[in-house]
Amino acid sequence: MTAEIPFYSLAYQNEQIRKEVHEALNNVFDSDWYVLGEKVERFEQEYANYLGVKHCIGVGNGLDALKISLHALGIGPGDEVIVPANTYVATVLAVTAVGALPVLVEPDVLTCNIDPKRIEEKITSKTKAIIPVHLYGLPCEMDAIVAIAAKHKLFIVEDNAQASGGEYKGKKTGSIGHLNAHSFYPTKNLGALGDGGAVTTNDDELARQARLLRNYGSSVKYHNEIIGYNSRLDEIQAAVLSIKLRFLDRWIE
Ligand SMILES: Cc1ncc(COP(=O)(O)O)c(C=O)c1O
C-alpha cells in the first residue's frame, strides 16, 4: 500500500484559524470597503511592530515591493544593482523593471545565499544598491553586507520574500535594509489567500515615497504627485494576514 504525501498542504494551519478567518471574511464582505482600508492599516502597524521597524506599506505582491523599493530609492536607467545569481527570478526582474542593470554575484556554497566575499569585485561607479535574498528563510551574512554597503555608499534592499519571521543576530530579517521587500504569496511563511506584499523601512521620506508609488502617485484622491503604480493590498488579505501573524512564530517552530 502506498500513502500519498502532498507536496504542499495548508490544512494544519487552516484548521487552527478556520472560524476566525471566516468571520473576518464575512466582516470585509459586509464592510463595502475592499482595498486599502482600516484592516490594511491595522496589519501594516502589526507587521511593523513585529519586525521592529517604523513603517510598513502594504502592496500587491513581492515583486512590486521590490520594484517600489528600487523606484523610491531613485534607481533607474544607467544604474547597476548587485543581486544574487541564485534567487527566484523576481529579484532580477525588479531591477530590470526600473530600467537598471542586474549584476549577478555567485553564492556561498554552504549557505546558497549571496557570498559577501564576491560582492566588492562587482561594484563599479554605477552601482547603487545590493539586494540580499534570505533564501528558504536562512539570513544572509548581513554584517558583512552592511559594511560593504556603508563603505561604498550603497543602498540595501532586503528581499525578505522567503524569510518572514527570520532573524539575524537578534534583528528580524526585513528590518535591516534601507527599504525591504516582503511577499505574502500563499506558500510563503506568512501567506495570504491570494497575492500580497509589503515594503518596510525606518526612513520617513522613503516610506512616504513608497506609499505614493503604490497608489498612482497619490495620497489625496485625484491629486497625483508622482508617476506611480497600482499595487495596493486589499482588505481581505490584510484581515487574514493579521490573524496568521499571531501564529507565525509558532508555525515556524
Ligand atoms: C526570493 C523571492 N523574491 C521575490 C518573490 C516575489 O514575490 P511575489 O510572488 O509575491 O511577487 C519571491 C516569490 O515568489 C521570491 O521567492
Side-chain angles (χ1 to χ4, degrees), residues 61-63 66 87-88 90-91 133 159 161-162 183 185 188 195-196:
N61 55 65
L63 172 61
L66 285 163
T87 181
Y88 184 60
T91 318
V133 182
D159 180 340
Q162 297 192 6
S183 166
Y185 185 76
K188 297 294 197 277
D195 277 310

Side-chain angles (χ1 to χ4, degrees), residues 25 28 34 40 43 184 191-196 233-243:
L25 295 179
V28 175
Y34 304 118
V40 170
F43 171 70
F184 306 125
L193 299 187
D195 277 310
L233 191 62
D234 67 65
E235 292 281 278
I236 284 184
Q237 305 313 334
V240 171
L241 288 166
S242 278
I243 295 167

Side-chain angles (χ1 to χ4, degrees), residues 2-7:
T2 56
E4 211 165 278
I5 299 171
F7 179 67

